[in-house]
Amino acid sequence: MEPTIRTSYKGNLRTEAEHVRSGNKIITDAPVDNHGKGEYFSPTDMLATSLTSCIFTIMGIKAEDAGFSIQGAKAETWKIMAENPRRVAEVRVEFDFTACGLSEKQQNILKQLVKVSPVPLSLHEDLKQNVSLKF
């Protein structure tokens, strides 16, 4: 079985990950507050981004299945770090669906998906996931 991702260490606290199937690449840097240049997403930024993107993806699938679209929706994500040990303590995500003109029924479908997507279910229970939806 072929791997999903191949990652190489480029030096200077930088990695390059290649998605094997598509050939697309992601570069990460250590953040400025942890010896890095902060020129790319940090690995912990990717964790926070993964949470937001996963929820959006599952919402998009369910919206399509129900016959509506969330195209034009946006989200802002905050990563809050903790020390001793250094870790992501909280990810705050604010989804904005105001451009979508959703009915109450459609809004309720999306509200049910916040905590049942694969990434939210895969993260440790100590990581606070603070997610809000604006309609």
Side-chain angles (χ1 to χ4, degrees):
M1 182 164 104
E2 194 167 34
T4 305
I5 301 155
R6 287 193 179 102
T7 305
S8 59
Y9 184 74
K10 298 305 211 181
N12 297 317
L13 309 179
R14 184 169 287 171
T15 70
E16 181 180 87
E18 179 181 5
H19 183 255
V20 173
R21 182 175 214 164
S22 69
N24 287 320
K25 295 180 180 178
I26 296 171
I27 296 171
T28 67
D29 259 344
V32 175
D33 68 346
N34 198 24
H35 309 282
K37 295 178 182 178
E39 295 176 347
Y40 295 92
F41 283 85
S42 72
T44 53
D45 292 341
M46 295 298 297
L47 181 141
T49 301
S50 179
L51 177 70
T52 303
S53 295
C54 185
I55 294 170
F56 249 155
T57 301
I58 295 301
M59 288 177 167
I61 291 168
K62 296 297 183 183
E64 285 181 10
D65 288 349
F68 67 97
S69 173
I70 59 168
Q71 187 169 342
K74 298 181 186 308
E76 293 185 335
T77 305
W78 291 261
K79 172 192 75 175
I80 295 96
M81 298 295 292
E83 299 296 329
N84 299 317
R86 184 174 170 82
R87 69 198 178 288
V88 179
E90 178 182 354
V91 177
R92 189 175 83 195
V93 184
E94 294 179 1
F95 287 95
D96 185 343
F97 296 95
T98 55
C100 301
L102 302 174
S103 70
E104 188 173 333
K105 180 180 178 182
Q106 294 165 337
Q107 292 174 25
N108 287 333
I109 290 170
L110 299 180
K111 288 176 186 176
Q112 295 174 27
L113 302 173
V114 169
K115 300 243 187 228
V116 298
S117 302
V119 170
L121 291 172
S122 299
L123 295 172
H124 194 279
E125 62 189 26
D126 288 349
L127 179 101
K128 185 176 180 186
Q129 299 177 40
N130 185 354
V131 179
S132 64
L133 287 72
K134 180 179 176 184
F135 298 104

